[in-house]
Amino acid sequence: MKLNGSWLLSALLAVTFMFSGLCVAQTQGGIQGQGGSQAQGSESGQEPWFSVESLNEGLGEVPEGLERGTPREAIRNFLELTEQNKYAAAAHVINLSGLPPEEQQERGPELARQLAEVLQRGEWLNVSSLSGRQDAAIMSPTSQNPLAGKPRRNIQLASLTADGEAYDVRLGRYRVGDADPVWLIMPDIVSSIPALYEQYGPSLLEEYIPERFKASFGPLRIWEWIAIPIVLLAIGLLGWGIYSLVGLIADRLPYGSPSIFARRIRGPLALIVMSLVTQALLDYVVSFSAVITTSFRVLLIAILAWGAGAVALRLIDTIMLRMTRRLVGQIDDTKPKDERKLLTSLYALRRVIILIMVTAVSIYVLSQIQIFESLGLSLLASASVLTVLIGIAGQAVLGNIISSFQVSLAKPIRIGDLVMFEGQWCYVEGIFYTFIRLRVWNERRLIVPVTYFVSRPFENFSVKSAKEYRSLEMILHLSADIECIREKFIEYAKEEDSVIEHHKLLCYVTGQTGTALTVTCYLMTTDPMSGWGAEMNVREKLLAFVRDNYPEWWPREVVVISHQDIARGESATTRMNGTESGAEESASESE
């Protein structure tokens, strides 16, 4: 029963992830180019820019020193200017062609301010990851992007969601006449900036924060450094309160499944409430910078998904516990085989549900945090290598998981079976993903890895039927009456409730020496554990019967003095009589 498929599974997973990584990488490249396909037509066109007659005529002359030749320079200058409250200069990084020239100067600075707030709070924007080339071509030699090595005239800067609608903030490359091309925020997003600002802009609470605390200090503002510990402390106290409240409710409930379930979900329920409250704070009360908001949202999604999965799993465990108590009761092999088979199937169903839940939660978390879009092709390129490392490091865990499913499907053991494992009598109490829990005869619990268990020979007393032949031996004197012993054995054996099939009760002499004989008695019992007790009881009664009624039947050493001297050919009696006669004659002579 030993498994040798762990390395095969690891290799299979590695190949699967390699192909899935290539497929997702191709999809990623398609996503990057999808948003601007209408504007750019074909990236293989003659001009790698958009030719326009004019740019932002209503804003006046471009400020001196404003670099917009590459995507990185354009966004870096935009953020620096908005940080210095120079919104009129920052407006030159936005293509305001959708506005009439007379409105550009009036609305341009305000749109620049709002867009800066949106970019700072909406998505964690890493300026260094933007292309530093004028044509924004992807030149990575390991890139699988279909646009690698080709000039691009628009790229995606951020992807935001407001009121259920998705908005892409894109940079486009524009050229006026013979002037050098410049990178500007494309006009498609200009009309949506007010809606995005409503979603990602400062909260009402920030209106009461003094201006001196709104200055940047490192990656965050000063007030954020103060507010974040306070928020975490408040959320932690809330979680502790929920944990304690659910514990009090569990103590007041009557003992049984409801109280057990309430006590088990205290931790997950507290984490769910903490996650929901924190999410509400981020949405309606306070708005942190994108670096904090993005990190919080990823963590909150993971906590919420884990908490919901843990509550569902606790519910399944409670239902299984109630069914176990109702259908099976004490887990042993005295219950019908069908009930023990049902309980084994329930444990297998539990593992299947866990596997489905983990897969569903993982897909949900990845879809919510958009991990592939955030980390890009570098993660996908290393996915296959990471898979191989995980497969090698976790082959013991994977082997145990596969072995547990093998045990659940083939059922060489069932919940409640009595097995002899490495010299110990054990009841199978549970079959889990990575281990099997055995209850030893002295009520200790033996935890055995699944692969270790199935790779060792074990004796299953309950695989067909729990009944078992037991035998007891007695050493008696050669003069013992075997028929009397047989009758008493059958009488005592029939008095035991666990002894069945009385027509199979046997008692025979199975051995003999010069001084004693061996009497062996056989009896059929319902199960090994009760059979052991029946064997001990019958032995004690037989010993008491012989002791009280026929003590001479106990085996003993017998010394026999020979009646004949073989060496001299005369009997000992003759020698003794001759000696006595000689003694009498001597006595007469002396008188």
Side-chain angles (χ1 to χ4, degrees):
M1 300 175 64
K2 188 172 182 179
L3 295 177
N4 297 316
S6 298
W7 284 98
L8 180 59
L9 174 65
S10 302
L12 181 60
L13 287 176
V15 173
T16 302
F17 270 86
M18 286 177 64
F19 281 101
S20 63
L22 294 178
C23 294
V24 177
Q26 296 287 342
T27 305
Q28 176 72 14
I31 292 175
Q32 290 182 350
Q34 178 180 345
S37 59
Q38 185 177 2
Q40 70 186 19
S42 173
E43 294 293 343
S44 60
Q46 291 88 359
E47 296 181 350
W49 53 69
F50 300 106
S51 298
V52 294
E53 296 180 358
S54 62
L55 282 174
N56 300 337
E57 291 180 346
L59 295 180
E61 294 294 330
V62 179
E64 185 177 356
L66 179 58
E67 299 291 340
R68 303 176 296 175
T70 67
R72 187 184 302 168
E73 289 178 346
I75 296 304
R76 180 175 292 161
N77 279 274
F78 177 78
L79 296 177
E80 289 177 355
L81 290 173
T82 54
E83 183 71 24
Q84 300 169 8
N85 297 330
K86 298 179 180 180
Y87 302 114
H92 285 274
V93 187
I94 305 175
N95 187 346
L96 301 174
S97 59
L99 298 178
E102 59 272 11
E103 295 183 13
Q104 292 179 0
Q105 189 171 11
E106 178 183 354
R107 297 185 57 188
E110 180 64 15
L111 291 173
R113 184 187 68 83
Q114 292 181 355
L115 182 59
E117 291 284 352
V118 170
L119 292 178
Q120 187 175 17
R121 301 169 188 269
E123 184 174 312
W124 189 356
L125 182 62
N126 186 7
V127 180
S128 300
S129 63
L130 296 175
S131 175
R133 293 174 55 93
Q134 292 182 348
D135 58 1
I138 301 174
M139 300 306 296
S140 174
T142 60
S143 176
Q144 299 293 329
N145 195 299
L147 300 180
K150 298 179 180 179
R152 295 183 293 170
R153 56 178 181 177
N154 77 92
I155 61 174
Q156 181 173 300
L157 182 64
S159 180
L160 305 173
T161 303
D163 298 330
E165 297 291 335
Y167 299 90
D168 288 337
V169 182
R170 305 189 69 85
L171 284 174
R173 193 182 186 198
Y174 298 92
R175 182 178 183 182
V176 180
D178 296 332
D180 293 334
V182 294
W183 288 89
L184 304 179
I185 295 173
M186 299 183 69
D188 300 345
I189 199 62
V190 173
S191 60
S192 304
I193 290 178
L196 293 174
Y197 183 75
E198 184 71 21
Q199 177 77 22
Y200 296 99
S203 61
L204 296 177
L205 181 63
E206 295 181 49
E207 296 180 359
Y208 302 96
I209 298 176
E211 289 296 330
R212 62 178 179 274
F213 289 109
K214 294 182 180 180
S216 297
F217 182 73
L220 304 178
R221 294 184 176 92
I222 296 176
W223 71 267
E224 292 177 328
W225 289 107
I226 301 173
I228 290 174
I230 296 176
V231 170
L232 292 178
L233 178 60
I235 296 299
L237 292 176
L238 175 64
W240 177 79
I242 297 297
Y243 184 87
S244 302
L245 178 61
V246 177
L248 291 176
I249 295 175
D251 293 336
R252 293 182 179 274
L253 291 174
Y255 180 76
S257 300
S259 62
I260 294 175
F261 177 67
R263 196 174 301 278
R264 287 182 174 182
I265 65 171
R266 288 185 299 173
L269 190 61
L271 290 177
I272 291 176
V273 174
M274 292 167 62
S275 176
L276 294 176
V277 172
T278 306
Q279 187 71 42
L281 288 176
L282 295 177
D283 290 339
Y284 303 107
V285 180
V286 63
S287 178
F288 294 114
S289 298
V291 60
I292 293 298
T293 303
T294 303
S295 302
F296 269 11
R297 292 189 188 278
V298 171
L299 183 61
L300 292 177
I301 290 173
I303 292 177
L304 183 62
W306 179 87
V311 171
L313 182 60
R314 301 295 190 275
L315 178 61
I316 295 172
D317 286 341
T318 305
I319 294 175
M320 286 188 58
L321 177 62
R322 186 169 183 176
M323 293 183 66
T324 301
R325 291 178 174 178
R326 178 172 297 180
L327 296 178
V328 180
Q330 176 70 16
I331 294 179
D332 54 36
D333 63 346
T334 60
K335 301 298 182 292
K337 182 172 64 175
D338 292 339
E339 293 183 358
R340 292 184 282 116
K341 185 177 180 180
L342 173 62
L343 189 58
T344 305
S345 300
L346 289 177
Y347 268 83
L349 178 62
R350 176 184 182 273
R351 292 195 296 277
V352 172
I353 293 175
I354 292 175
L355 184 61
I356 294 175
M357 287 174 53
V358 170
T359 304
V361 168
S362 301
I363 293 175
Y364 171 75
V365 171
L366 292 178
S367 65
Q368 290 297 315
I369 65 178
Q370 297 177 346
I371 188 170
F372 292 115
E373 294 183 12
S374 302
L375 300 185
L377 299 179
S378 58
L379 176 63
L380 297 175
S382 60
S384 57
V385 178
L386 182 63
T387 303
V388 173
L389 295 179
I390 293 177
I392 294 175
Q395 62 173 328
V397 177
L398 294 175
N400 281 317
I401 293 175
I402 294 177
S403 298
S404 70
F405 279 107
Q406 176 192 2
V407 170
S408 299
L409 295 176
K411 291 185 176 61
I413 57 173
R414 296 180 298 267
I415 304 298
D417 280 1
L418 177 62
V419 298
M420 178 70 74
F421 182 70
E422 295 189 340
Q424 299 194 75
W425 292 50
C426 312
Y427 281 111
V428 181
E429 269 197 338
I431 304 173
F432 302 94
Y433 263 119
T434 57
F435 65 91
I436 295 176
R437 188 176 66 213
L438 305 174
R439 187 178 80 239
V440 190
W441 63 272
N442 57 4
E443 293 300 323
R444 292 185 296 112
R445 297 309 189 267
L446 188 62
I447 308 300
V448 184
V450 184
T451 53
Y452 183 84
F453 184 87
V454 299
S455 62
R456 263 64 176 177
F458 59 88
E459 186 176 357
N460 191 338
F461 295 108
S462 311
V463 65
K464 288 293 184 182
S465 174
K467 64 181 183 179
E468 181 190 28
Y469 257 124
R470 303 290 302 183
S471 63
L472 59 94
E473 290 185 351
M474 295 182 63
I475 308 298
L476 299 176
H477 191 262
L478 292 172
S479 62
D481 187 349
I482 303 304
E483 187 61 31
C484 180
I485 294 295
R486 182 179 294 112
E487 292 177 356
K488 284 299 178 180
F489 162 70
I490 295 175
E491 176 186 347
Y492 294 149
K494 290 182 178 180
E495 294 176 356
E496 297 294 325
D497 295 334
S498 58
V499 176
I500 58 176
E501 300 183 12
H502 296 162
H503 63 284
K504 293 185 178 181
L505 295 174
L506 303 173
C507 182
Y508 294 104
V509 175
T510 57
Q512 178 186 0
T513 64
T515 59
L517 53 83
T518 302
V519 179
T520 304
C521 303
Y522 299 90
L523 63 162
M524 178 71 75
T525 59
T526 56
D527 61 274
M529 291 298 291
S530 59
W532 181 85
E535 176 190 338
M536 301 302 110
N537 292 335
V538 173
R539 179 183 282 111
E540 290 177 359
K541 291 178 181 180
L542 287 175
L543 291 176
F545 170 75
V546 174
R547 182 190 64 235
D548 297 339
N549 298 280
Y550 301 97
E552 65 274 12
W553 288 357
W554 294 126
R556 56 191 179 274
E557 293 291 336
V558 179
V559 178
V560 178
I561 300 176
S562 176
H563 297 282
Q564 181 178 4
D565 191 339
I566 300 176
R568 298 178 58 181
E570 59 183 5
S571 65
T573 304
T574 304
R575 292 197 307 272
M576 292 177 64
N577 292 336
T579 304
E580 292 176 355
S581 299
E584 291 176 355
E585 292 177 357
S586 300
S588 300
E589 291 176 356
S590 61
E591 290 177 354

